Amino acid sequence: MLYLWLKALHIVSMVCWFAGLFYLPRLFVYHAQSEDAVSKERFSIMERKLYRGIMGPAMIATLIFGIALIYLNPSIFSQGAWIHAKLTLVVILIGYHHMCGAQVKRFARGENTRSHVFYRWFNEVPVLILLAIVILVVVRPF
């Protein structure tokens, strides 16, 4: 029963994390398009609160619950290479998360050099990773 509770909490925290990963780059799009100081300050505040208040805790919770699931079921590593591929994507996602954090700081300092078009494409990265992770976990293709 503990395993199922941890799995449910892992999924909920992952959903919260991805909500932030989808929304923060969208804020970057709007921030890059803004021209007045009031809008730029408003977006900086929104980005900082989203990153620190929601995304960070959700990422940590996702990792803690995921590690707990592996601890309770270490045999998962003998069930195919899909788990190794999933964990590789999680590491990439953590890197993407930290890239977002660095960008939050650049915007706050007024040092953004990228266009809104860049952020529209940047926003698609977590979508592709989520798609791959869900397919790996559900289909377990290898």
Side-chain angles (χ1 to χ4, degrees):
M1 192 65 161
L2 174 63
Y3 188 83
L4 294 177
W5 276 103
L6 290 172
K7 187 184 248 185
L9 292 170
H10 177 67
I11 292 168
V12 169
S13 59
M14 182 270 309
V15 169
C16 294
W17 186 22
F18 268 96
L21 289 170
F22 293 154
Y23 186 51
L24 184 61
R26 177 54 50 183
L27 288 176
F28 294 161
V29 170
Y30 301 141
H31 197 158
Q33 289 178 317
S34 66
E35 296 178 9
D36 60 291
V38 173
S39 294
K40 290 180 181 188
E41 180 63 24
R42 182 180 309 121
F43 283 120
S44 286
I45 292 168
M46 292 170 66
E47 291 158 359
R48 185 186 75 243
K49 288 184 175 185
L50 176 62
Y51 186 76
R52 290 184 186 167
I54 296 172
M55 292 172 62
M59 178 187 70
I60 291 167
T62 301
L63 296 174
I64 288 170
F65 294 130
I67 290 166
L69 289 169
I70 290 170
Y71 177 78
L72 292 176
N73 184 19
S75 66
I76 198 163
F77 288 108
S78 63
Q79 296 174 5
W82 68 270
I83 187 66
H84 300 283
K86 177 197 172 190
L87 293 176
T88 299
L89 289 172
V90 170
V91 169
I92 292 168
L93 197 61
I94 292 167
Y96 179 86
H97 175 98
H98 289 291
M99 287 174 62
C100 286
Q103 192 57 47
V104 166
K105 291 177 184 175
R106 274 190 221 96
F107 269 117
R109 292 189 308 259
E111 298 174 356
N112 175 53
T113 58
R114 296 185 171 122
S115 73
H116 67 93
V117 175
F118 170 83
Y119 295 111
R120 289 180 194 278
W121 286 103
F122 184 71
N123 194 35
E124 301 306 319
V125 172
V127 174
L128 298 173
I129 293 174
L130 177 63
L131 179 65
I133 287 174
V134 169
I135 289 170
L136 286 168
V137 172
V138 174
V139 179
R140 296 184 181 187
F142 45 86

